[in-house]
Amino acid sequence: MFLSNFSVKKPVVTIVILLMLMAVGLLALKKLKVNQIPDVDMPLLVIDINYPGASPDTVEREVLNRVEKALQSVNGIKDLRGTANEGNANMQVFFEFKKNMVEATDEVRNAIGKVRYKLPTEIREPVILRIDPAAQPIMQLALSTSSQSHAEISRIAEDQIADKFRGIPGVAQVTVNGALKRELSVLLHAQKLREVNLSVTEVVNALRSQNAAAPVGKIRGAMEDQSIRLLGRIETPAEFNQIVIKRSGNELIRLGQVATVSDGFAELTTLSMRSGKPNVGMAITRSRDASTVSVANEIRKLVAEVNKTLPEGTKLEITQDGGVEAQNSLNNVVDALIFGAGLTIFVVYVFLNSWRSTLITALSLPTSVITAFIAVWLCGFTLNFMSLLGLSLAIGVLIDDAIVVRENIVRHMERGSDRRTAALNGTAEIGMAVAGTTFSIVAVFIPVGFMPGVSGEWFRPFGLTVVASVLVSLLISFTLDPMLSAYWGDPPGEHLKPKKGISLRLKQFNEWFDHQADRYGHVIAWALHHRRWMIAFAVISFFGAIFLQAQFGGSSFLPKTDGKTLAIDVRSPASSNLEYSRIKLEAAAIMARSMPETKATNSYVNPTGGRIYVDIGKSTERKRTAQEIAIELRKRTSQLVGAEYTVLDDLSNGAAKPVQIRFSGTDSRKLLAITSEFMEKLRQVPGAVDVGLSQQDPQNELQIELDRGLANSLGISVTDATMANAPSVCQPMPKVVHRERSQRMH
C-alpha cells in the first residue's frame, strides 16, 4: 500500500509529518472553548410586548390576535405560540431549521411594523429576542453585609462591582437582582390641589415641560460654528419645590405648595436572599463565542480582588458556579477516557506479551486523539461532554486498527520474514480489511452527525468527532505502526527465546486462552449445525431486550445527573405582591435548610413567585442522591399552602418540567374544564409528580366606570380621566435626571 510503503521507505518524513499533526492538534486543543453542553442554535424567536395595566383578555384581543395575523405572512414558521398575561403579551415563534435566523428576525420585525399603527398606543415597543440555550447564567453572586444598609450595598453593586464584571472578556450580560434604585417621588396633597384649583394633569404637564434639556439652534460665524443648547434640567431635589405649576394673576403656585418631594428609593420588584438573609444578587451570562470555564476563571479572580476592597463586614460570595460544574463534568469524561486508554494498553500487553509491540500499538492512541482535535476545531465545535463522549467511545476503535496491523506484522516475522519485509507485506495483506472496518464505522456515524432537528444539533459533535478520530487512527495504523515495526520492532526469533518472570506467566495465560478459543470453536460448530435454533434465539433476544428496556429502563434525551443543586419553583396567586411571595419562598427555603444535606439556599423572589436554589454539595460528600433528596423535599413542600411548589432535581434539561402537554382551542372556558379533568387523571399516573397548570386566574382589579354624560358636561375626556388617575395610584411617570442617576417620579 502507498501509505505503508512511503512510511517505511521515508521514516524521517513520516515522523516529521506526524509531529506536525500533533503540534497542530495541541494548538487546536488550546484554542477550543470548554463548555458543558454543545452550542445549539435554536430556530426560535420570542416576542415580548408590555401593555401596562391591561387584563389578559384585553392583551389577547388588542395585541396577540393582531400580531399573530401579521406573522402569517412570514415564511418558514413551523409553530406559533402566544400567551396573554397581566400587562404582557409573549409569543414564541418556531422556525424550520433551514431558516436563516438573522433574516427571520428582520421579517418578524417588519411584519410587526406593518400593524404597529393598529396596536394600542399605550404598549411598550415590542422586543424580539433570539433564544440561546447557552445564554443561561454561568455564575450567580451574592453581595451581603452585616455593617451596611441595603441601600449602600445596592449602590456598590450597581455602580462599582457590576461594571467591573461587564469588562471581563466573554461576559455578555450582568443582571443585578434585589437592589434598591434611587428614585425621586412627588407626593401630591389632594386638599391643597383643591384649594388652588389644580388638577393632577396640570402638575404632570408642568413637570414635563420644566425639566428638559433640548437643542435650540446653531450660530454660524466666519471661522467657526457654535451649537445652542437650553439647559433646563433640574440638578438638585430641592429645586423641584420651586417649579411653577400655575400662575394666577400675580400669584405663582409652586410645586412645594401642593406636594412633598422626597429623595428615596423605588419600590422593589425583585428580592435576593441567601439562607434567609437579604442580599444583592448578580447573575452573569457569557457570550455565545466565549468559553464557560475561561470566563468563570476570570470571574473568580475578580471576586477575590473585589473582596479585598469591600468595607469590613461586606463580602461577595459565589453561590452558583457553572464553570466548576462544566469542568467537573468534563474531568469525569477525561478520567474515563484515560482509564479506558490505560486498560486498553494493558489488555494489548497481556495478549501480545511484548513491551515493544505494546508501545508501538499504544503510541497510536495519543497520536490519534490529539490529531482528532484538529477536526473538532475546524468544525467549530467546543470541548463539551458530547465531543469527549465521542472520543471515549472511539478509544477502543482507535487502537483496534493498530492492533490488527501489528499482529499481522508479528505473524509474518514468526514465519521468518525480517522486520522491514514483515512490515510491508503484513500491512499490505491486511490493509483492505482494516480500511473496510474503519469505513463501516464512518458509514454508521456520519448520518448521526447530520441528523436534522434539535437532536442533530446535540449529536453532531458526537458523530463527527467519532468519524474524525477513526479516520485519523486509520492513517496512523498505515504510517506510524509499519514504520516503527520496520525499524524498532522485536528482533527476528524473539518469540522463540525462553520466557521468564511476567513474560512466562503471560505465555501460560495465552496458551490457556488459546485452549479456550479452541473450545469456543466447538460452540460455533454447534451453532452452524442448529441454525433454526440460533435464529429463534436471536429473535427472542432482540424483542426481549426491547421489552425489558421499555418496561424497566425507560428513555430520556439526556441522562439523569446527580448535581449539587436542586431548584424549587414557587408560583404564588395572581394577585399576590412581593412580600407575599417572599413569605412563601422563605417557608419552602426553611424546609430545605432543615435537611441534613443542605448547605445553603439562594432565593430569587418576584411578585408572581420565584425560584429557590438548594445547594446540597457534591455527590461524593453525601449518602443520598439528588433524586432521593428531591423526593423528601417534595413531600415536605406538599404540606405548604398558599402557593404552587415544584421541585426540580435535574437542572441540565433547561431547568423545566420534563413532560409538558399543551391544549389548544377557541373556547377558553371549555378548554380549562377539559384541562382540569385531564390533570386529575394525570395525577393518578404512577411516577407523575408536580402536576400543574400554566394558566392562572386573572389578577384582581378595581374597575372605574366613567359617567360619560357627566364627564361630557364638565368637559372631561377619557384621556383626562386616565391622566388624572394614573399618577394618583403611583404609576411610573417620565424620568428625570439628577446627579447622573435615573430617578422616577411618582
Side-chain angles (χ1 to χ4, degrees):
M1 296 186 69
F2 170 75
L3 288 177
S4 58
N5 293 341
F6 177 83
S7 63
V8 172
K9 295 177 181 178
K10 305 288 185 180
V12 177
V13 178
T14 302
I15 293 175
V16 171
I17 292 174
L18 294 177
L19 289 177
M20 182 185 66
L21 288 175
M22 291 188 67
V24 176
L26 290 174
L27 182 62
L29 177 60
K30 186 178 180 181
K31 289 181 174 293
L32 284 175
K33 297 177 294 181
V34 182
N35 297 325
Q36 188 169 8
I37 61 175
D39 288 335
V40 180
D41 190 10
M42 294 288 291
L44 170 63
L45 291 179
V46 174
I47 306 171
D48 193 72
I49 305 175
N50 286 325
Y51 189 2
S55 65
D57 290 339
T58 303
V59 171
E60 180 184 10
R61 183 178 62 255
E62 301 291 337
V63 179
L64 270 185
N65 292 342
R66 295 175 181 177
V67 174
E68 284 182 355
K69 290 181 180 178
L71 293 179
Q72 291 176 359
S73 61
V74 178
N75 294 325
I77 293 181
K78 183 179 180 181
D79 192 13
L80 182 62
R81 301 173 185 173
T83 304
N85 301 311
E86 191 75 29
N88 175 266
N90 184 274
M91 302 182 69
Q92 295 180 346
V93 187
F94 294 86
F95 289 88
E96 302 287 347
F97 261 89
K98 62 182 180 181
K99 184 73 174 181
N100 186 309
M101 294 309 296
V102 176
E103 296 178 359
T105 305
D106 292 337
E107 292 176 9
V108 169
R109 186 180 291 109
N110 294 336
I112 296 176
K114 292 178 180 178
V115 296
R116 181 65 178 85
Y117 71 96
K118 296 181 180 179
L119 302 179
T121 57
E122 297 84 3
I123 68 168
R124 302 289 188 264
E125 197 63 29
V127 178
I128 303 175
L129 301 172
R130 287 184 60 184
I131 294 301
D132 184 2
Q136 299 295 326
I138 64 170
M139 193 167 286
Q140 302 275 1
L141 308 178
L143 181 64
S144 57
T145 183
S146 59
S147 58
Q148 294 183 295
S149 65
H150 194 70
E152 290 173 324
I153 64 171
S154 297
R155 187 162 55 251
I156 293 174
E158 289 276 10
D159 300 341
Q160 301 177 22
I161 300 178
D163 290 339
K164 292 182 179 180
F165 285 112
R166 292 187 181 103
I168 296 177
V171 171
Q173 184 179 10
V174 178
T175 305
V176 181
N177 301 310
L180 287 172
K181 295 183 179 179
R182 195 178 178 191
E183 182 176 87
L184 194 69
S185 299
V186 178
L187 306 177
L188 300 175
H189 303 300
Q191 181 61 34
K192 293 182 179 179
L193 288 175
R194 286 192 292 268
E195 290 176 359
V196 296
N197 194 25
L198 266 179
S199 67
V200 176
T201 304
E202 290 176 297
V203 176
V204 172
N205 292 334
L207 289 173
R208 283 175 173 168
S209 61
Q210 299 194 42
N211 181 49
V216 175
K218 181 178 291 188
I219 299 177
R220 299 187 182 276
M223 301 297 294
E224 65 176 3
D225 294 344
Q226 289 182 329
S227 297
I228 305 174
R229 179 176 294 275
L230 176 64
L231 302 179
R233 289 289 186 187
I234 298 176
E235 298 296 331
T236 63
E239 294 181 22
F240 276 92
N241 290 317
Q242 303 304 317
I243 292 179
V244 177
I245 303 298
K246 185 178 181 181
R247 182 186 296 271
S248 178
N250 295 327
E251 183 182 1
L252 300 179
I253 301 173
R254 302 183 183 274
L255 181 63
Q257 298 175 238
V258 296
T260 301
V261 180
S262 61
D263 187 4
F265 297 96
E267 183 180 352
L268 282 173
T269 56
T270 60
L271 281 177
S272 175
M273 296 189 297
R274 179 170 174 81
S275 297
K277 298 179 181 179
N279 58 42
V280 176
M282 282 179 281
I284 302 176
T285 305
R286 69 171 177 88
S287 58
R288 183 176 178 84
D289 58 347
S291 169
T292 300
V293 174
S294 300
V295 174
N297 291 337
E298 295 298 323
I299 293 174
R300 284 188 221 103
K301 293 178 183 178
L302 186 55
V303 168
E305 295 176 4
V306 168
N307 276 320
K308 297 177 182 178
T309 63
L310 292 176
E312 186 177 355
T314 304
K315 60 180 179 179
L316 182 63
E317 298 177 279
I318 299 175
T319 59
Q320 187 176 356
D321 193 340
V324 171
E325 295 173 2
Q327 189 64 59
N328 290 340
S329 177
L330 295 177
N331 287 343
N332 291 336
V333 179
V334 172
D335 292 342
L337 192 151
I338 294 175
F339 178 76
L343 191 60
T344 303
I345 294 172
F346 171 75
V347 172
V348 170
Y349 179 68
V350 168
F351 284 95
L352 294 183
N353 196 11
S354 169
W355 67 270
R356 289 198 184 192
S357 296
T358 302
L359 190 58
I360 291 173
T361 307
L363 283 175
S364 63
L365 269 179
T367 309
S368 302
V369 171
I370 294 175
T371 307
F373 287 126
I374 300 175
V376 176
W377 177 60
L378 291 176
C379 290
F381 300 145
T382 61
L383 201 61
N384 52 70
F385 82 94
M386 290 300 289
S387 55
L388 287 179
L389 182 63
L391 287 177
S392 300
L393 180 66
I395 279 294
V397 180
L398 295 183
I399 203 172
D400 186 53
D401 293 343
I403 291 174
V404 173
V405 171
R406 178 58 189 166
E407 192 276 334
N408 203 47
I409 292 173
V410 171
R411 186 172 63 86
H412 276 265
M413 291 182 64
E414 291 178 352
R415 292 182 177 181
S417 300
D418 60 88
R419 289 187 293 194
R420 182 184 176 92
T421 304
L424 292 172
N425 295 338
T427 306
E429 184 180 34
I430 205 71
M432 292 303 296
V434 172
T437 303
T438 302
F439 284 113
S440 65
I441 297 173
V442 171
V444 170
F445 282 96
I446 276 188
V448 174
F450 289 96
M451 286 192 304
V454 178
S455 300
E457 293 289 318
W458 275 84
F459 282 94
R460 185 168 294 114
F462 169 76
L464 296 185
T465 300
V466 173
V467 170
S469 58
V470 297
L471 288 177
V472 170
S473 73
L474 180 64
L475 173 67
I476 299 301
S477 64
F478 284 167
T479 54
L480 182 64
D481 278 19
M483 186 267 293
L484 291 178
S485 299
Y487 295 98
W488 195 66
D490 292 327
E494 181 71 17
H495 63 288
L496 300 176
K497 294 181 180 180
K499 306 294 183 181
K500 57 182 179 180
I502 189 171
S503 295
L504 178 60
R505 298 296 182 188
L506 291 178
K507 180 181 178 182
Q508 293 173 351
F509 170 77
N510 284 325
E511 290 174 352
W512 173 84
F513 191 85
D514 290 339
H515 177 64
Q516 301 304 316
D518 293 337
R519 297 178 62 184
Y520 175 68
H522 298 302
V523 177
I524 297 298
W526 181 89
L528 292 175
H529 289 88
H530 298 79
R531 298 177 183 178
R532 294 182 180 178
W533 282 101
M534 292 307 301
I535 293 175
F537 177 75
V539 172
I540 293 173
S541 300
F542 177 74
F543 289 103
I546 294 177
F547 171 78
L548 292 175
Q549 177 64 28
Q551 189 72 17
F552 303 103
S555 62
S556 176
F557 183 68
L558 291 175
K560 282 282 186 180
T561 59
D562 191 2
K564 59 178 296 186
T565 305
L566 301 177
I568 307 175
D569 274 345
V570 183
R571 189 172 70 170
S572 54
S575 299
S576 60
N577 58 15
L578 188 66
E579 178 61 18
Y580 182 92
S581 297
R582 184 195 67 79
I583 294 173
K584 296 304 175 183
L585 262 78
E586 185 57 22
I590 291 174
M591 286 192 168
R593 290 196 294 271
S594 65
M595 302 178 66
E597 293 86 357
T598 302
K599 298 182 179 296
T601 59
N602 297 285
S603 304
Y604 300 94
V605 191
N606 58 63
T608 60
R611 172 172 287 185
I612 306 169
Y613 290 99
V614 184
D615 186 359
I616 57 176
K618 297 180 180 179
S619 58
T620 55
E621 299 174 354
R622 44 185 163 84
K623 297 180 180 179
R624 296 190 294 178
T625 64
Q627 287 74 27
E628 293 172 340
I629 298 172
I631 291 174
E632 181 181 346
L633 186 57
R634 192 173 288 114
K635 291 180 180 178
R636 295 191 180 193
T637 55
S638 63
Q639 304 172 9
L640 300 175
V641 295
E644 180 183 324
Y645 297 89
T646 302
V647 179
L648 303 174
D649 55 17
D650 188 2
L651 305 185
S652 61
N653 194 22
K657 294 182 179 181
V659 178
Q660 299 183 15
I661 304 173
R662 293 181 177 272
F663 289 80
S664 58
T666 56
D667 189 340
S668 59
R669 294 184 179 180
K670 187 175 182 180
L671 191 64
L672 184 60
I674 296 174
T675 306
S676 301
E677 182 181 355
F678 180 79
M679 284 176 56
E680 293 301 324
K681 297 179 180 179
L682 193 60
R683 290 189 176 98
Q684 309 302 321
V685 176
V689 295
D690 295 332
V691 179
L693 190 63
S694 62
Q695 181 176 338
Q696 281 187 304
D697 295 331
Q699 190 175 25
N700 296 336
E701 63 181 14
L702 298 176
Q703 297 181 348
I704 300 175
E705 294 185 5
L706 188 66
D707 189 333
R708 292 187 178 272
L710 180 59
N712 291 334
S713 64
L714 296 175
I716 299 174
S717 65
V718 176
T719 303
D720 294 335
T722 303
M723 290 296 298
N725 280 282
S728 303
V729 293
C730 299
Q731 287 294 323
M733 294 303 295
K735 295 182 178 179
V736 298
V737 176
H738 168 58
R739 296 177 187 173
E740 298 182 354
R741 293 182 185 278
S742 175
Q743 304 177 21
R744 287 183 178 176
M745 291 190 56
H746 280 181

